[in-house]
Amino acid sequence: MSTENLPQSPDQPQRKPRVAVVFGGRSSEHGISMVTAGAVLRAIDRTKYDVLPIGITQSGRWVLTADEPDRMAITERRTPNVEQLAESSEGGVVLPVDPANREVVYTEPGSVPKALGEIDVVFPVLHGPYGEDGTLQGLLELSGVPYVGSGVLASAVGQDKEYMKRVFASFGLKVGPYVVIRPREWEQDESAARKKIIDLAGDHGWPLFVKPARAGSSIGITKVEDLSGLDDAIAEAQRHDPKILVEAALRGREIECGVLEFEDGPRASVPAEIPPPDAHAYYDFEAKYIDSTPGIVPAPLTPEETADVQRLAVDAYEAASCEGLVRADFFLTEDGEFVINEINTMPGFTPISMYPQMWQASGIGYADLVDRLIEAALRRSTGLR
């Protein structure tokens, strides 16, 4: 869909496409979503698009927010929240569920609902469950509203680390050793579930990484050096997700690669390397977002290694049926093999995040990247495709 296809009346000038930037959400990545939204709002070309910022509170209420990107930054090592920017403590935004009507409505107790006009595309910059995982994408499909990024299936696969690995393995991409502990396993027999993890360590050694299976931004992850730290790590991961994933450590370099949808298909960026952070045990939440540990862009790889990881990144994008954008994360092991760790269908997207940095080094600046993603979403229809 292009600007020329937007409905116009004969007496009205051609209107600009309207972009609803949706952010916040109910996951533990609420604050990082807001930081991303601030960067996107700042970058959108206001001469080309009208913009409607919509926040989702941690309780799940959709609200109108101030269009003030500077208030969406990390300050004093704390992330922002939607409630700070909400225009009302009671009002809410309602998206249409009729594909023939894209008009957004604002409601407030005791007041007549107010029409806010139609939206042409949604830029969902939510991270984690209830936004990045296919749930919001399903709502937008029902509403018939185009949106930036992957559809329902790819978003769900990209959020669930277990099924992500299963999909990759079925397409021939190499994944590292792991076990999954589902909530029912833990509830019925903790000792048997714990033994699965201990057996993984017996086969592949310590340390292990204990993770929530459906979370991102390195939240809830613990690097476990020996058996004494296992129970605390499990409890921390389960605090974010009742299903947990435990991975054997892979010795090697952390390499990332961005994938972006062009009109002729997906292409890979130059890769980046994440060096071990000096002040952290691994590349955790604080290293990424608070201390902003810098990556190396482009990664110091041979031309053959660069071509390999770019090909594998696109293969991962295609294997999961992704659209729009993906950041694919790999380990380059000591024997020279790339092992895929995970993909992010809505990666960290501030100007200092690795995905935009990799595309900057590939010749596409941040504002241009945002514009290309919106244009790609406008080209696609909702529904089966």
Side-chain angles (χ1 to χ4, degrees), residues 172-183:
L173 281 82
K174 186 167 180 60
V175 300
Y178 71 97
V179 296
V180 175
I181 306 297
R182 293 181 173 82

Side-chain angles (χ1 to χ4, degrees), residues 19-25 32-34 36-37 40 44 52 54 56 62 95 119 121-128 130-141 145-151 155 323-325 345-349 370 373-374 377 380:
V19 182
V21 179
V22 180
F23 55 91
I32 295 304
S33 171
M34 289 200 64
T36 295
V40 169
I44 291 178
L52 179 67
I54 298 175
I56 302 176
W62 291 49
L95 261 65
I119 54 175
V121 63
V122 169
F123 200 132
V125 290
L126 293 116
H127 302 305
Y130 312 109
E132 190 183 349
D133 60 349
T135 50
L136 176 63
Q137 290 74 15
L139 173 63
L140 295 172
E141 292 286 350
V145 179
Y147 51 92
V148 170
S150 289
S155 297
E323 295 170 291
L325 73 162
T345 56
M346 185 52 70
F349 209 84
V370 168
L373 288 168
I374 295 171
R380 291 195 302 267

Side-chain angles (χ1 to χ4, degrees), residues 92-162:
V93 173
V94 180
L95 261 65
V97 291
D98 177 1
N101 173 23
R102 293 182 180 176
E103 190 163 70
V104 176
V105 174
Y106 177 75
T107 64
E108 198 161 0
S111 300
V112 176
K114 177 183 177 184
L116 300 177
E118 292 188 348
I119 54 175
D120 300 295
V121 63
V122 169
F123 200 132
V125 290
L126 293 116
H127 302 305
Y130 312 109
E132 190 183 349
D133 60 349
T135 50
L136 176 63
Q137 290 74 15
L139 173 63
L140 295 172
E141 292 286 350
L142 290 173
S143 301
V145 179
Y147 51 92
V148 170
S150 289
V152 175
L153 173 66
S155 297
V157 168
Q159 188 63 45
D160 191 311
K161 293 178 173 62
E162 175 193 0

Side-chain angles (χ1 to χ4, degrees), residues 9-299:
S9 77
D11 301 324
Q12 290 180 330
Q14 188 178 70
R15 72 174 180 85
K16 295 181 286 188
R18 198 166 195 218
V19 182
V21 179
V22 180
F23 55 91
R26 294 163 55 189
S27 82
S28 53
E29 297 175 75
H30 178 100
I32 295 304
S33 171
M34 289 200 64
V35 175
T36 295
V40 169
L41 286 169
R42 195 176 290 111
I44 291 178
D45 184 352
R46 304 305 178 99
T47 67
K48 187 174 180 179
Y49 303 107
D50 286 328
V51 178
L52 179 67
I54 298 175
I56 302 176
T57 68
Q58 289 172 309
S59 65
R61 185 167 61 98
W62 291 49
V63 300
L64 285 180
T65 70
D67 187 1
E68 299 179 18
D70 290 344
R71 293 174 60 191
M72 300 182 185
I74 294 173
T75 55
E76 298 179 350
R77 303 179 72 85
R78 291 197 299 269
T79 56
N81 66 72
V82 165
E83 295 282 5
Q84 296 169 337
L85 276 79
E87 294 191 353
S88 166
S89 60
E90 296 183 312
V93 173
V94 180
L95 261 65
V97 291
D98 177 1
N101 173 23
R102 293 182 180 176
E103 190 163 70
V104 176
V105 174
Y106 177 75
T107 64
E108 198 161 0
S111 300
V112 176
K114 177 183 177 184
L116 300 177
E118 292 188 348
I119 54 175
D120 300 295
V121 63
V122 169
F123 200 132
V125 290
L126 293 116
H127 302 305
Y130 312 109
E132 190 183 349
D133 60 349
T135 50
L136 176 63
Q137 290 74 15
L139 173 63
L140 295 172
E141 292 286 350
L142 290 173
S143 301
V145 179
Y147 51 92
V148 170
S150 289
V152 175
L153 173 66
S155 297
V157 168
Q159 188 63 45
D160 191 311
K161 293 178 173 62
E162 175 193 0
Y163 287 98
M164 182 196 310
K165 290 177 185 293
R166 289 181 180 273
V167 168
F168 290 155
S170 73
F171 276 81
L173 281 82
K174 186 167 180 60
V175 300
Y178 71 97
V179 296
V180 175
I181 306 297
R182 293 181 173 82
R184 187 175 299 172
E185 289 181 82
W186 189 255
E187 292 162 6
Q188 291 181 344
D189 193 339
E190 281 189 24
S191 61
R194 192 179 288 106
K195 184 178 184 301
K196 282 175 63 174
I197 301 173
I198 295 170
D199 287 347
L200 180 71
D203 292 338
H204 301 283
W206 300 90
L208 301 177
F209 287 88
V210 180
K211 304 179 175 183
R214 295 162 292 192
S217 298
S218 297
I219 291 172
I221 298 177
T222 305
K223 182 179 181 181
V224 182
E225 298 288 354
D226 54 44
L227 188 59
S228 65
L230 184 59
D231 284 352
D232 285 346
I234 291 170
E236 171 62 16
Q238 288 175 331
R239 203 164 63 82
H240 300 275
D241 187 344
K243 182 168 85 165
I244 66 171
L245 182 98
V246 184
E247 296 173 335
L250 292 173
R251 274 73 179 178
R253 299 159 62 188
E254 289 191 50
I255 305 295
E256 299 184 347
C257 191
V259 181
L260 178 64
E261 178 183 335
F262 288 75
E263 290 193 39
D264 61 351
R267 301 181 201 170
S269 70
V270 300
E273 180 169 1
I274 308 300
D278 294 334
H280 302 268
Y282 63 99
Y283 194 45
D284 61 6
F285 177 86
E286 291 213 348
K288 286 180 180 178
Y289 296 108
I290 305 299
D291 296 329
S292 300
T293 301
I296 303 170
V297 188

